[in-house]
Amino acid sequence: MTTGGAEEAGRQEWLRTVAADVARLDRSSSAERAADILRRSITEGALPPGAQLSEVELTEVLEVSRNTLREAFRLLTHEGLLVYKLHRGVFVPELDEHDVIDLYRLRRVLEVDVIRGLADRDPELPSSRLEPLHDDVEAAEAAARADRWPAVGTANMRFHQHLIGLADSARMDAMTGRLLAELRLLFHVIAAPRELHEPYIERNRGLFELLEARKYEQAAVDLHQYLLDSEAALLAAFRDKGLQTPSGT
């Protein structure tokens, strides 16, 4: 299959996934629900940087009006997850190394603080609160054994989302949804998903075990270094490709 053929096949598979998600939509707040589906598509890697979104296709598969879809586009544009290009349409943005630095600064503030805060807020964290993180670690390990590296990336996204969820903050949860979607866009700069995700499977397992043992300070220290290492790998990838400014600007 040619590169163009593979891209078209991937796009069609994504549209089928969107159509399946629509079956679970609550018909209230249709624009927000449509935005949720598109945001999740970005977070799970189905919509890469530079992808153009078709109003015709999406109004059909999302079963919404064009005005509703445009409102969903507006919501995601406000979040920085879509961009409108005059006379061309709506696209998934292409980020740069400055976005890497900015996003990882925010990740360190949020994620490390959540773990450190557990010592005061929830020192005897119930095991049930950690079950989602355990499931994410198991999902990543199973996907790696099956050589399904994009799925490893999705499990990793969910691990960090559930980690921030330990803060019991609706505002932080909402911020995390946008942050992780932008992060997944950055991950596309590394062509081989295995190279990107494999080192962090074991590190996620280690973080989970530290949380399970209530060793919050050590978990915070390890996570801080983990995020520094991840940031450095992405910055190196951007610089190797000469992507110091967003393409298309």
Side-chain angles (χ1 to χ4, degrees), residues 93-99 243-249:
E94 298 176 82
L95 305 184
D96 64 14
E97 67 176 78
H98 304 295
D99 296 304
L243 299 176
Q244 295 186 3
T245 56
S247 58
T249 60

Side-chain angles (χ1 to χ4, degrees), residues 41-117:
S41 293
I42 294 172
T43 304
E44 296 182 355
L47 281 175
Q52 183 173 12
L53 302 189
S54 166
E55 281 192 4
V56 173
E57 288 179 336
L58 287 173
T59 53
E60 181 178 346
V61 297
L62 288 169
E63 300 178 11
V64 295
S65 70
R66 184 162 291 190
N67 284 340
T68 297
L69 180 64
R70 287 175 177 172
E71 175 64 11
F73 283 171
R74 187 192 67 77
L75 292 171
L76 294 175
T77 299
H78 179 71
E79 294 179 13
L81 298 179
L82 294 177
V83 293
Y84 174 75
K85 297 183 180 181
L86 189 63
H87 305 309
R88 294 182 61 194
V90 177
F91 294 80
V92 179
E94 298 176 82
L95 305 184
D96 64 14
E97 67 176 78
H98 304 295
D99 296 304
V100 175
I101 294 168
D102 198 26
L103 283 170
Y104 272 84
R105 181 185 298 123
L106 179 57
R107 290 191 73 187
R108 287 191 292 275
V109 170
L110 285 177
E111 296 187 41
V112 175
D113 182 71
V114 165
I115 290 181
R116 284 208 165 100

Side-chain angles (χ1 to χ4, degrees), residues 129-150:
R129 296 288 310 283
L130 294 174
E131 286 178 4
L133 285 87
H134 176 264
D135 292 344
D136 297 331
V137 169
E138 297 263 297
E141 291 171 346
R145 289 192 296 270
D147 203 30
R148 295 171 51 242
W149 294 99

Side-chain angles (χ1 to χ4, degrees), residues 138-178:
E138 297 263 297
E141 291 171 346
R145 289 192 296 270
D147 203 30
R148 295 171 51 242
W149 294 99
V152 173
T154 297
N156 180 61
M157 294 284 98
R158 291 174 178 162
F159 178 87
H160 289 279
Q161 187 169 28
H162 288 137
L163 188 153
I164 292 178
L166 295 175
D168 291 323
S169 166
R171 290 181 177 86
M172 290 179 69
D173 289 343
M175 184 184 300
T176 300
R178 171 182 169 181

